[in-house]
PDB file of all heavy atoms in Angstrom:
ATOM      1  N   LYS A   1       0.814  -1.213   0.089  1.00 84.00           N
ATOM      2  CA  LYS A   1      -0.051  -0.042  -0.091  1.00 84.00           C
ATOM      3  C   LYS A   1       0.922   1.249  -0.035  1.00 84.00           C
ATOM      4  O   LYS A   1       0.530   2.216  -0.642  1.00 84.00           O
ATOM      5  CB  LYS A   1      -0.924  -0.024   1.297  1.00 84.00           C
ATOM      6  CG  LYS A   1      -2.026  -0.957   1.205  1.00 84.00           C
ATOM      7  CD  LYS A   1      -3.011  -0.773  -0.095  1.00 84.00           C
ATOM      8  CE  LYS A   1      -3.580   0.637  -0.064  1.00 84.00           C
ATOM      9  NZ  LYS A   1      -4.508   0.740  -1.219  1.00 84.00           N
ATOM     10  N   THR A   2       1.952   1.234   0.698  1.00 88.00           N
ATOM     11  CA  THR A   2       2.810   2.459   0.765  1.00 88.00           C
ATOM     12  C   THR A   2       3.424   2.674  -0.645  1.00 88.00           C
ATOM     13  O   THR A   2       3.503   3.867  -1.043  1.00 88.00           O
ATOM     14  CB  THR A   2       3.958   2.218   1.893  1.00 88.00           C
ATOM     15  OG1 THR A   2       3.350   2.082   3.134  1.00 88.00           O
ATOM     16  CG2 THR A   2       4.846   3.477   1.806  1.00 88.00           C
ATOM     17  N   LEU A   3       3.873   1.698  -1.256  1.00 91.00           N
ATOM     18  CA  LEU A   3       4.397   1.728  -2.607  1.00 91.00           C
ATOM     19  C   LEU A   3       3.356   2.391  -3.559  1.00 91.00           C
ATOM     20  O   LEU A   3       3.591   3.177  -4.456  1.00 91.00           O
ATOM     21  CB  LEU A   3       4.921   0.442  -3.177  1.00 91.00           C
ATOM     22  CG  LEU A   3       6.184   0.011  -2.478  1.00 91.00           C
ATOM     23  CD1 LEU A   3       6.523  -1.460  -2.890  1.00 91.00           C
ATOM     24  CD2 LEU A   3       7.361   0.936  -2.724  1.00 91.00           C
ATOM     25  N   GLU A   4       2.079   1.912  -3.470  1.00 89.00           N
ATOM     26  CA  GLU A   4       1.096   2.283  -4.356  1.00 89.00           C
ATOM     27  C   GLU A   4       0.652   3.791  -4.125  1.00 89.00           C
ATOM     28  O   GLU A   4       0.565   4.589  -5.075  1.00 89.00           O
ATOM     29  CB  GLU A   4      -0.309   1.495  -4.084  1.00 89.00           C
ATOM     30  CG  GLU A   4      -0.240   0.118  -4.501  1.00 89.00           C
ATOM     31  CD  GLU A   4      -1.409  -0.684  -4.123  1.00 89.00           C
ATOM     32  OE1 GLU A   4      -2.350  -0.036  -3.515  1.00 89.00           O
ATOM     33  OE2 GLU A   4      -1.591  -1.893  -4.397  1.00 89.00           O
ATOM     34  N   GLN A   5       0.724   4.218  -2.820  1.00 88.00           N
ATOM     35  CA  GLN A   5       0.413   5.627  -2.525  1.00 88.00           C
ATOM     36  C   GLN A   5       1.533   6.547  -2.882  1.00 88.00           C
ATOM     37  O   GLN A   5       1.310   7.665  -3.316  1.00 88.00           O
ATOM     38  CB  GLN A   5       0.111   5.742  -1.021  1.00 88.00           C
ATOM     39  CG  GLN A   5      -1.218   5.037  -0.595  1.00 88.00           C
ATOM     40  CD  GLN A   5      -1.441   5.086   0.976  1.00 88.00           C
ATOM     41  OE1 GLN A   5      -0.436   5.435   1.715  1.00 88.00           O
ATOM     42  NE2 GLN A   5      -2.594   4.695   1.386  1.00 88.00           N
ATOM     43  N   GLU A   6       2.773   6.037  -2.774  1.00 91.00           N
ATOM     44  CA  GLU A   6       3.879   6.945  -3.067  1.00 91.00           C
ATOM     45  C   GLU A   6       3.908   7.394  -4.531  1.00 91.00           C
ATOM     46  O   GLU A   6       4.269   8.476  -4.915  1.00 91.00           O
ATOM     47  CB  GLU A   6       5.201   6.147  -2.762  1.00 91.00           C
ATOM     48  CG  GLU A   6       6.495   6.848  -3.140  1.00 91.00           C
ATOM     49  CD  GLU A   6       6.967   6.632  -4.526  1.00 91.00           C
ATOM     50  OE1 GLU A   6       6.673   5.636  -5.106  1.00 91.00           O
ATOM     51  OE2 GLU A   6       7.641   7.513  -5.114  1.00 91.00           O
ATOM     52  N   ARG A   7       3.398   6.615  -5.412  1.00 90.00           N
ATOM     53  CA  ARG A   7       3.402   6.892  -6.814  1.00 90.00           C
ATOM     54  C   ARG A   7       2.424   8.019  -7.197  1.00 90.00           C
ATOM     55  O   ARG A   7       2.501   8.657  -8.252  1.00 90.00           O
ATOM     56  CB  ARG A   7       3.077   5.713  -7.699  1.00 90.00           C
ATOM     57  CG  ARG A   7       4.201   4.643  -7.716  1.00 90.00           C
ATOM     58  CD  ARG A   7       3.916   3.521  -8.718  1.00 90.00           C
ATOM     59  NE  ARG A   7       2.772   2.734  -8.395  1.00 90.00           N
ATOM     60  CZ  ARG A   7       2.907   1.614  -7.756  1.00 90.00           C
ATOM     61  NH1 ARG A   7       4.138   1.221  -7.362  1.00 90.00           N
ATOM     62  NH2 ARG A   7       1.869   0.794  -7.486  1.00 90.00           N
ATOM     63  N   LEU A   8       1.443   8.341  -6.251  1.00 88.00           N
ATOM     64  CA  LEU A   8       0.382   9.262  -6.590  1.00 88.00           C
ATOM     65  C   LEU A   8       0.629  10.643  -5.972  1.00 88.00           C
ATOM     66  O   LEU A   8      -0.253  11.467  -6.283  1.00 88.00           O
ATOM     67  CB  LEU A   8      -0.940   8.615  -6.006  1.00 88.00           C
ATOM     68  CG  LEU A   8      -1.316   7.272  -6.531  1.00 88.00           C
ATOM     69  CD1 LEU A   8      -2.617   6.801  -5.868  1.00 88.00           C
ATOM     70  CD2 LEU A   8      -1.608   7.398  -8.007  1.00 88.00           C
ATOM     71  N   VAL A   9       1.569  10.814  -5.228  1.00 90.00           N
ATOM     72  CA  VAL A   9       1.875  12.150  -4.645  1.00 90.00           C
ATOM     73  C   VAL A   9       3.281  12.612  -4.833  1.00 90.00           C
ATOM     74  O   VAL A   9       4.270  11.859  -5.084  1.00 90.00           O
ATOM     75  CB  VAL A   9       1.550  12.052  -3.114  1.00 90.00           C
ATOM     76  CG1 VAL A   9       0.034  12.006  -2.834  1.00 90.00           C
ATOM     77  CG2 VAL A   9       2.263  10.996  -2.428  1.00 90.00           C
ATOM     78  N   SER A  10       3.403  13.988  -4.865  1.00 91.00           N
ATOM     79  CA  SER A  10       4.752  14.567  -5.015  1.00 91.00           C
ATOM     80  C   SER A  10       5.377  14.882  -3.629  1.00 91.00           C
ATOM     81  O   SER A  10       4.757  14.901  -2.663  1.00 91.00           O
ATOM     82  CB  SER A  10       4.578  15.821  -5.832  1.00 91.00           C
ATOM     83  OG  SER A  10       3.871  16.822  -5.039  1.00 91.00           O
ATOM     84  N   PHE A  11       6.688  15.219  -3.754  1.00 91.00           N
ATOM     85  CA  PHE A  11       7.311  15.664  -2.414  1.00 91.00           C
ATOM     86  C   PHE A  11       6.717  16.830  -1.892  1.00 91.00           C
ATOM     87  O   PHE A  11       6.455  16.977  -0.684  1.00 91.00           O
ATOM     88  CB  PHE A  11       8.798  15.967  -2.778  1.00 91.00           C
ATOM     89  CG  PHE A  11       9.719  14.733  -2.441  1.00 91.00           C
ATOM     90  CD1 PHE A  11      10.649  14.306  -3.359  1.00 91.00           C
ATOM     91  CD2 PHE A  11       9.825  14.189  -1.240  1.00 91.00           C
ATOM     92  CE1 PHE A  11      11.517  13.253  -3.113  1.00 91.00           C
ATOM     93  CE2 PHE A  11      10.630  13.179  -0.897  1.00 91.00           C
ATOM     94  CZ  PHE A  11      11.502  12.706  -1.784  1.00 91.00           C
ATOM     95  N   GLY A  12       6.349  17.765  -2.766  1.00 91.00           N
ATOM     96  CA  GLY A  12       5.755  19.051  -2.345  1.00 91.00           C
ATOM     97  C   GLY A  12       4.451  18.810  -1.704  1.00 91.00           C
ATOM     98  O   GLY A  12       4.077  19.437  -0.565  1.00 91.00           O
ATOM     99  N   GLU A  13       3.573  17.926  -2.191  1.00 91.00           N
ATOM    100  CA  GLU A  13       2.303  17.575  -1.541  1.00 91.00           C
ATOM    101  C   GLU A  13       2.535  16.970  -0.188  1.00 91.00           C
ATOM    102  O   GLU A  13       1.821  17.186   0.744  1.00 91.00           O
ATOM    103  CB  GLU A  13       1.529  16.731  -2.448  1.00 91.00           C
ATOM    104  CG  GLU A  13       1.012  17.502  -3.675  1.00 91.00           C
ATOM    105  CD  GLU A  13       0.389  16.508  -4.719  1.00 91.00           C
ATOM    106  OE1 GLU A  13       0.921  15.450  -4.845  1.00 91.00           O
ATOM    107  OE2 GLU A  13      -0.453  17.030  -5.446  1.00 91.00           O
ATOM    108  N   LEU A  14       3.437  15.991  -0.163  1.00 92.00           N
ATOM    109  CA  LEU A  14       3.714  15.244   1.190  1.00 92.00           C
ATOM    110  C   LEU A  14       4.257  16.343   2.242  1.00 92.00           C
ATOM    111  O   LEU A  14       3.875  16.197   3.334  1.00 92.00           O
ATOM    112  CB  LEU A  14       4.738  14.111   0.926  1.00 92.00           C
ATOM    113  CG  LEU A  14       4.191  12.996   0.155  1.00 92.00           C
ATOM    114  CD1 LEU A  14       5.367  12.006  -0.243  1.00 92.00           C
ATOM    115  CD2 LEU A  14       3.206  12.256   0.976  1.00 92.00           C
ATOM    116  N   SER A  15       5.187  17.254   1.824  1.00 91.00           N
ATOM    117  CA  SER A  15       5.655  18.197   2.704  1.00 91.00           C
ATOM    118  C   SER A  15       4.510  19.062   3.269  1.00 91.00           C
ATOM    119  O   SER A  15       4.415  19.409   4.513  1.00 91.00           O
ATOM    120  CB  SER A  15       6.691  19.071   2.001  1.00 91.00           C
ATOM    121  OG  SER A  15       7.147  20.073   2.928  1.00 91.00           O
ATOM    122  N   ALA A  16       3.513  19.499   2.380  1.00 92.00           N
ATOM    123  CA  ALA A  16       2.432  20.322   2.847  1.00 92.00           C
ATOM    124  C   ALA A  16       1.574  19.542   3.745  1.00 92.00           C
ATOM    125  O   ALA A  16       1.101  20.026   4.752  1.00 92.00           O
ATOM    126  CB  ALA A  16       1.674  20.762   1.594  1.00 92.00           C
ATOM    127  N   MET A  17       1.398  18.262   3.522  1.00 91.00           N
ATOM    128  CA  MET A  17       0.544  17.359   4.388  1.00 91.00           C
ATOM    129  C   MET A  17       1.173  17.322   5.763  1.00 91.00           C
ATOM    130  O   MET A  17       0.465  17.423   6.855  1.00 91.00           O
ATOM    131  CB  MET A  17       0.403  15.994   3.758  1.00 91.00           C
ATOM    132  CG  MET A  17      -0.406  15.904   2.491  1.00 91.00           C
ATOM    133  SD  MET A  17      -0.239  14.428   1.566  1.00 91.00           S
ATOM    134  CE  MET A  17      -1.018  13.247   2.661  1.00 91.00           C
ATOM    135  N   HIS A  18       2.461  17.191   5.791  1.00 91.00           N
ATOM    136  CA  HIS A  18       3.161  17.131   7.020  1.00 91.00           C
ATOM    137  C   HIS A  18       3.112  18.373   7.844  1.00 91.00           C
ATOM    138  O   HIS A  18       2.889  18.356   9.017  1.00 91.00           O
ATOM    139  CB  HIS A  18       4.651  16.684   6.890  1.00 91.00           C
ATOM    140  CG  HIS A  18       5.407  16.244   8.040  1.00 91.00           C
ATOM    141  ND1 HIS A  18       6.208  17.237   8.826  1.00 91.00           N
ATOM    142  CD2 HIS A  18       5.303  15.187   8.827  1.00 91.00           C
ATOM    143  CE1 HIS A  18       6.787  16.575   9.882  1.00 91.00           C
ATOM    144  NE2 HIS A  18       6.145  15.394   9.957  1.00 91.00           N
ATOM    145  N   ASP A  19       3.115  19.516   7.170  1.00 92.00           N
ATOM    146  CA  ASP A  19       3.024  20.740   7.875  1.00 92.00           C
ATOM    147  C   ASP A  19       1.621  20.899   8.501  1.00 92.00           C
ATOM    148  O   ASP A  19       1.502  21.338   9.566  1.00 92.00           O
ATOM    149  CB  ASP A  19       3.151  21.905   6.821  1.00 92.00           C
ATOM    150  CG  ASP A  19       4.710  22.064   6.450  1.00 92.00           C
ATOM    151  OD1 ASP A  19       5.591  21.506   7.166  1.00 92.00           O
ATOM    152  OD2 ASP A  19       4.882  22.738   5.408  1.00 92.00           O
ATOM    153  N   HIS A  20       0.642  20.449   7.671  1.00 92.00           N
ATOM    154  CA  HIS A  20      -0.776  20.497   8.320  1.00 92.00           C
ATOM    155  C   HIS A  20      -0.926  19.579   9.532  1.00 92.00           C
ATOM    156  O   HIS A  20      -1.707  19.821  10.482  1.00 92.00           O
ATOM    157  CB  HIS A  20      -1.748  20.119   7.245  1.00 92.00           C
ATOM    158  CG  HIS A  20      -2.082  21.274   6.259  1.00 92.00           C
ATOM    159  ND1 HIS A  20      -2.461  22.478   6.653  1.00 92.00           N
ATOM    160  CD2 HIS A  20      -1.906  21.361   4.901  1.00 92.00           C
ATOM    161  CE1 HIS A  20      -2.682  23.369   5.680  1.00 92.00           C
ATOM    162  NE2 HIS A  20      -2.357  22.643   4.538  1.00 92.00           N
ATOM    163  N   ILE A  21      -0.231  18.459   9.516  1.00 92.00           N
ATOM    164  CA  ILE A  21      -0.391  17.603  10.656  1.00 92.00           C
ATOM    165  C   ILE A  21       0.291  18.290  11.954  1.00 92.00           C
ATOM    166  O   ILE A  21      -0.300  18.166  12.877  1.00 92.00           O
ATOM    167  CB  ILE A  21       0.415  16.292  10.312  1.00 92.00           C
ATOM    168  CG1 ILE A  21      -0.286  15.368   9.306  1.00 92.00           C
ATOM    169  CG2 ILE A  21       0.666  15.377  11.585  1.00 92.00           C
ATOM    170  CD1 ILE A  21       0.544  14.277   8.678  1.00 92.00           C
ATOM    171  N   LEU A  22       1.426  18.947  11.763  1.00 92.00           N
ATOM    172  CA  LEU A  22       2.007  19.611  12.781  1.00 92.00           C
ATOM    173  C   LEU A  22       1.012  20.738  13.348  1.00 92.00           C
ATOM    174  O   LEU A  22       0.926  20.954  14.527  1.00 92.00           O
ATOM    175  CB  LEU A  22       3.376  20.177  12.469  1.00 92.00           C
ATOM    176  CG  LEU A  22       4.421  19.157  12.013  1.00 92.00           C
ATOM    177  CD1 LEU A  22       5.675  19.936  11.648  1.00 92.00           C
ATOM    178  CD2 LEU A  22       4.757  18.236  13.246  1.00 92.00           C
ATOM    179  N   GLU A  23       0.383  21.502  12.391  1.00 92.00           N
ATOM    180  CA  GLU A  23      -0.513  22.470  12.801  1.00 92.00           C
ATOM    181  C   GLU A  23      -1.712  21.878  13.537  1.00 92.00           C
ATOM    182  O   GLU A  23      -2.244  22.534  14.482  1.00 92.00           O
ATOM    183  CB  GLU A  23      -0.990  23.209  11.526  1.00 92.00           C
ATOM    184  CG  GLU A  23       0.153  24.086  10.826  1.00 92.00           C
ATOM    185  CD  GLU A  23      -0.292  24.513   9.481  1.00 92.00           C
ATOM    186  OE1 GLU A  23      -1.480  24.290   9.026  1.00 92.00           O
ATOM    187  OE2 GLU A  23       0.450  25.166   8.829  1.00 92.00           O
ATOM    188  N   SER A  24      -2.124  20.768  13.163  1.00 92.00           N
ATOM    189  CA  SER A  24      -3.250  20.144  13.886  1.00 92.00           C
ATOM    190  C   SER A  24      -2.880  19.773  15.245  1.00 92.00           C
ATOM    191  O   SER A  24      -3.646  20.001  16.199  1.00 92.00           O
ATOM    192  CB  SER A  24      -3.657  18.874  13.134  1.00 92.00           C
ATOM    193  OG  SER A  24      -4.621  18.181  13.752  1.00 92.00           O
ATOM    194  N   GLU A  25      -1.683  19.328  15.439  1.00 90.00           N
ATOM    195  CA  GLU A  25      -1.178  19.067  16.719  1.00 90.00           C
ATOM    196  C   GLU A  25      -1.169  20.278  17.701  1.00 90.00           C
ATOM    197  O   GLU A  25      -1.516  20.315  18.893  1.00 90.00           O
ATOM    198  CB  GLU A  25       0.201  18.419  16.770  1.00 90.00           C
ATOM    199  CG  GLU A  25       0.753  17.890  18.072  1.00 90.00           C
ATOM    200  CD  GLU A  25       2.179  17.200  17.932  1.00 90.00           C
ATOM    201  OE1 GLU A  25       2.419  16.808  16.866  1.00 90.00           O
ATOM    202  OE2 GLU A  25       2.791  17.175  19.000  1.00 90.00           O
TER     203      GLU A  25
END
């Protein structure tokens, strides 16, 4: 599943997702 998901997102999108996770915390 991780390999499948990795192909669908960019580094930029993942970085933005991680930023929002920190903001949520």
Side-chain angles (χ1 to χ4, degrees):
K1 289 301 300 181
T2 300
L3 291 172
E4 289 176 4
Q5 292 175 349
E6 177 273 330
R7 290 192 289 268
L8 300 174
V9 287
S10 67
F11 262 128
E13 289 169 332
L14 288 169
S15 177
M17 290 166 70
H18 191 259
D19 288 343
H20 282 302
I21 290 169
L22 296 178
E23 291 168 4
S24 177
E25 184 178 340

